[in-house]
Amino acid sequence: MAHNLQQCRVIIEKAVSVGARALFLPEASDYIASSPAETRALVRSTRESEFVRGLQEEARSANLAINVGIHEPTEDGKKVKNTLIWIDGCGEIVQRYQKLHLFDVDIEGGPILMESKSVEKGMRILPPFDTPVGRVGLTICFDLRFPEISLALKRQNCQIITFPSAFTTQTGKAHWDVLLRARAIECQSYVVAAAQVGAHNEKRTSYGHSSIISPWGEIVAQSGGVSLGPEIISANIDLDFVARVKREMPLYRRT
């Protein structure tokens, strides 16, 4: 985790250098383990996590909001939580979302992953909240395949929806761009999807291609699929454009 924190510090420095008002980091930025047992063994509370405390210090020092995916312990200690926290510019954790849909897949010729063996599912959608870059709604990775969450956030006047992810290479090549663009178009919101990239261990490799999508479904910025060290993509979030898209093409629910 110390290595990951140092990688994040490099990213924060780059974000500050381009004048970012908020930084969005991927799912499970603290660690990706090679087994359920290791996932449970590495987890720490936010008060005890050197990774989280380090990010809080960086946020406070730079006056930069940071959205980051981490692991947190469950009450009974049998599993962990896959959560997304919002650290404000004062370094305080002010929002927390727990992943609703867990990645349990068995793809022929592809990955066999059972997130539910070590992760406790979340039970509620977090309402959107105001931030320096707009009204943000939080989701995580596999939630991307369930449009009901994003549509619920849209109905609560969300302007930006996050999908921090660690998509597998096989599923990413097939579905990543089209799903992100679909969520942006149907919700008429910006989509910000910070993505892990490259090999984590002998069992896991992530697709990468961090993306920012406009409310019109355009890919505003996107990184590559090869790990070249810590990198950022950036874009201006135009809230007037969000309002214009909604005004010019009102999507009133009829069903």
Side-chain angles (χ1 to χ4, degrees):
M1 282 184 274
H3 172 74
N4 285 7
L5 175 58
Q6 182 55 39
Q7 297 283 87
C8 289
R9 284 180 167 140
V10 173
I11 292 172
I12 291 167
E13 184 177 351
K14 291 184 176 184
V16 171
S17 72
V18 299
R21 300 179 66 193
L23 172 64
F24 297 82
L25 294 169
E27 174 187 29
S29 287
D30 50 355
Y31 64 89
I32 291 181
S34 58
S35 69
E38 186 180 31
T39 296
R40 292 188 294 268
L42 290 173
V43 72
R44 299 289 184 274
S45 71
T46 54
R47 293 186 302 276
E48 299 172 328
S49 170
E50 180 181 326
F51 178 83
V52 173
R53 293 202 313 270
L55 289 184
Q56 289 179 281
E57 292 171 5
E58 293 291 337
R60 190 180 304 115
S61 176
N63 189 25
L64 177 71
I66 299 176
N67 187 220
V68 59
I70 61 169
H71 298 85
E72 295 187 87
T74 57
E75 285 67 24
D76 60 13
K78 294 180 179 179
K79 294 186 176 182
V80 305
K81 300 176 183 178
N82 183 337
T83 58
L84 185 58
I85 58 174
W86 187 275
I87 304 171
D88 67 13
C90 297
E92 300 297 322
I93 299 172
V94 294
Q95 300 289 344
R96 177 183 275 101
Y97 166 73
Q98 185 177 350
K99 187 178 183 181
L100 287 177
H101 298 97
L102 303 182
F103 189 54
D104 286 359
V105 298
D106 183 351
I107 299 174
E108 183 177 356
I112 301 174
L113 295 168
M114 295 294 164
E115 189 176 17
S116 62
K117 286 185 176 181
S118 59
V119 177
E120 174 190 87
K121 66 181 178 181
M123 298 301 292
R124 74 182 188 98
I125 298 172
L126 180 72
F129 53 93
D130 293 326
T131 77
V133 292
R135 191 166 169 80
V136 171
L138 303 183
T139 78
I140 301 174
C141 199
F142 202 52
D143 290 331
L144 177 60
R145 296 182 181 273
F146 301 87
E148 295 84 358
I149 300 178
S150 300
L151 291 171
L153 295 171
K154 174 186 183 293
R155 290 193 288 273
Q156 297 175 79
N157 300 314
C158 188
Q159 296 166 312
I160 303 165
I161 302 175
T162 70
F163 292 102
S165 297
F167 250 60
T168 67
T169 301
Q170 185 172 0
T171 58
K173 287 179 179 178
H175 302 146
W176 178 245
D177 283 355
V178 68
L179 285 171
L180 292 176
R181 295 185 66 202
R183 296 297 86 82
I185 292 166
E186 67 196 8
C187 295
Q188 299 178 311
S189 304
Y190 279 95
V191 160
V192 177
Q196 298 262 11
V197 61
H200 308 288
N201 50 58
E202 68 279 0
K203 296 180 180 180
R204 287 289 303 273
T205 300
S206 290
Y207 178 63
H209 295 83
S210 295
S211 302
I212 302 171
I213 315 294
S214 81
W216 198 243
E218 299 167 311
I219 299 175
V220 178
Q222 188 172 72
S223 66
V226 178
S227 179
L228 300 174
E231 62 178 321
I232 65 168
I233 59 172
S234 63
N236 292 320
I237 301 298
D238 186 347
L239 300 182
D240 289 336
F241 182 55
V242 176
R244 194 183 95 194
V245 169
K246 292 181 178 181
R247 183 178 64 252
E248 294 180 351
M249 187 179 291
L251 300 180
Y252 298 124
R253 188 177 178 89
R254 299 287 299 268
T255 59

